[in-house]
């Protein structure tokens, strides 16, 4: 009986262990699968972050290359700077969100000519750059790159002194008006001020024109915003070119009346009224002279043919 009881107990224990294996396996397998899935997701996220970082670095490298070439091309034609500091700026927009009003600006300071006046003898590294917007605000600019300082210009080509990148925000009150290209350019165009201290320690400052090389790369680089006078001049140039090509015939101005001549009508009316009054006065004078002659003839006195 004892060995029968032991055999039954062993059989029952084996059955219990066999019945628990699927349960334990079902509990352990999802955890292992979930752990593997999390590890795979972490690897994918890390790979994506690396790819995004690499793409951003590539875009910024390409941006710096294109912007440097465009700025040099625009500033190379300047013989001398328009300010005593001898510098010029190249201002461009890296990005612009017209819905939110946010933008990322790129400002580069170039040495174009020898400093003069109050800025003579001030090293470029001692010059501070200030920005003022009419309708926008920016964070303090962060210096990205600064070239090697030189006290004497070695060539006639512009020399890069400093490069700044800074984010900005257009005022919400300015976003209510129709946001045309001309309005946006006016809002994101800064007034650049350079400040420093001369040899005696006195503060000096000057404004630098941002129009000498503005929007030569990035946003607005392919847009041409012209005033009404510029558009009229362009239309005249186009018509002149067509006339030289023989595409259109020359029309002598002033030959045909193309609008209703209001001035001519008013002048004609006043002319008719004036001539009428003058003719009426002349006629009355003629009648008075004849009447005077007849009266003198009846009285027997000689008449005079002199004009009255």
């Amino acid at each position: 009986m004892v060995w029968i009881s032991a055999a039954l107990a062993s059989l029952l224990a084996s059955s219990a262990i066999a019945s628990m294996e699927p349960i334990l396996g079902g509990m352990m397998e999802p955890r292992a699968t979930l752990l593997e899935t999390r590890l795979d997701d972490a690897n994918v996220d890390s790979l994506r972050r690396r790819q995004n970082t690499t793409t951003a670095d590539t875009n910024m490298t390409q941006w710096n290359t294109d912007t440097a070439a465009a700025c040099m091309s625009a500033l190379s034609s300047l013989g001398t700077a328009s300010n005593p500091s001898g510098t010029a700026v190249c201002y461009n927009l890296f990005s612009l969100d017209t819905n939110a009003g946010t933008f990322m600006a790129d400002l580069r300071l170039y040495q174009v000519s020898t400093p003069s006046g109050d800025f003579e003898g001030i090293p470029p590294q001692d010059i501070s750059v200030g920005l003022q917007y009419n309708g926008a605000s920016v964070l303090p600019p962060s210096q990205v790159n600064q070239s090697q300082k030189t006290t004497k210009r070695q060539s006639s080509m512009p020399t890069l002194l400093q490069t700044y990148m800074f984010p900005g925000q257009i005022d919400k009150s300015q976003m209510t008006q129709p946001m045309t290209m001309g309005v946006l350019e006016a809002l994101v165009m800064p007034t650049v001020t350079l400040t420093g201290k001369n040899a005696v320690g006195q503060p000096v400052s000057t404004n630098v024109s941002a129009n000498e090389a503005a929007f030569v790369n990035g946003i607005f680089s392919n847009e041409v915003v012209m005033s009404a006078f510029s558009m009229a001049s362009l239309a005249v140039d186009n018509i002149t070119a067509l006339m030289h090509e023989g595409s259109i015939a020359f029309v002598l101005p002033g030959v045909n009346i193309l609008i209703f001549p209001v001035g001519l009508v008013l002048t004609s009316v006043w002319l008719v009224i004036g001539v009428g009054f003058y003719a009426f006065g002349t006629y009355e004078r003629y009648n008075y002279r004849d009447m005077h002659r007849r009266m003198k003839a009846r009285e027997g006195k000689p008449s005079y043919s002199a004009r009255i």
Side-chain angles (χ1 to χ4, degrees):
M1 294 294 294
V2 175
W3 67 271
I4 296 175
S5 299
L8 291 174
S10 177
L11 181 60
L12 291 174
S14 299
S15 301
I17 292 174
S19 63
M20 290 178 65
E21 286 180 354
I23 299 176
L24 294 176
M27 294 176 62
M28 295 299 293
E29 184 178 358
R31 294 185 180 180
T33 304
L34 180 60
L35 180 59
E36 293 176 358
T37 303
R38 290 180 178 177
L39 291 176
D40 292 340
D41 292 342
N43 292 332
V44 172
D45 292 340
S46 177
L47 180 60
R48 287 178 178 175
R49 284 195 295 269
R50 291 179 182 177
Q51 291 177 348
N52 292 335
T53 304
T54 304
T55 303
D57 294 340
T58 303
N59 293 338
M60 186 57 64
T61 302
Q62 186 65 34
W63 165 262
N64 289 329
T65 303
D66 295 342
T67 304
C71 291
M72 290 294 293
S73 177
L75 295 176
S76 296
S77 59
L78 295 178
T80 57
S82 59
N83 59 88
S85 67
T87 59
V89 297
C90 183
Y91 181 77
N92 300 279
L93 288 185
F94 178 74
S95 62
L96 174 63
D97 188 347
T98 56
N99 296 323
T102 58
F103 60 92
M104 178 66 71
D106 180 297
L107 186 140
R108 304 183 180 218
L109 185 65
Y110 286 84
Q111 189 75 44
V112 177
S113 58
T114 305
S116 61
D118 296 335
F119 282 85
E120 186 175 1
I122 301 179
Q125 62 270 19
D126 295 340
I127 297 178
S128 301
V129 180
L131 302 175
Q132 183 178 0
Y133 287 81
N134 185 18
S137 58
V138 296
L139 296 177
S142 59
Q143 184 174 339
V144 177
N145 181 31
Q146 184 169 351
S147 62
Q148 185 178 1
K149 290 84 176 178
T150 56
T151 58
K152 183 183 293 185
R153 288 177 51 81
Q154 302 297 331
S155 64
S156 59
M157 297 298 293
T159 304
L160 178 63
L161 298 178
Q162 296 174 355
T163 300
Y164 298 97
M165 292 287 291
F166 47 90
Q169 172 69 55
I170 300 176
D171 296 342
K172 297 299 183 182
S173 59
Q174 302 290 340
M175 298 293 292
T176 57
Q177 57 181 327
M179 303 306 291
T180 61
M181 290 299 175
V183 173
L184 286 173
E185 282 194 10
L187 292 176
V188 299
M189 175 67 75
T191 300
V192 183
T193 304
L194 301 181
T195 57
K197 291 185 179 181
N198 55 14
V200 297
Q202 296 178 349
V204 293
S205 63
T206 183
N207 291 336
V208 182
S209 176
N211 293 322
E212 293 174 344
F215 306 123
V216 295
N217 189 31
I219 308 299
F220 301 133
S221 60
N222 297 324
E223 300 291 338
V224 179
V225 180
M226 297 186 298
S227 61
F229 178 78
S230 299
M231 290 188 291
S233 300
L234 181 61
V236 172
D237 294 338
N238 293 335
I239 293 177
T240 304
L242 293 176
M243 289 173 53
H244 288 307
E245 295 175 358
S247 301
I248 59 175
F250 175 73
V251 178
L252 182 64
V255 176
N256 300 321
I257 299 177
L258 303 178
I259 60 175
F260 184 76
V262 178
L264 179 61
V265 171
L266 294 178
T267 304
S268 300
V269 170
W270 283 110
L271 178 62
V272 170
I273 293 175
V275 171
F277 274 103
Y278 184 79
F280 179 75
T282 303
Y283 177 73
E284 290 295 325
R285 290 174 60 192
Y286 177 78
N287 291 336
Y288 180 77
R289 186 189 63 179
D290 290 344
M291 182 182 65
H292 179 73
R293 288 177 179 178
R294 287 193 298 269
M295 290 176 59
K296 292 297 183 179
R298 285 196 297 269
E299 293 175 358
K301 296 180 179 180
S303 59
Y304 302 93
S305 61
R307 297 183 60 186
I308 299 175

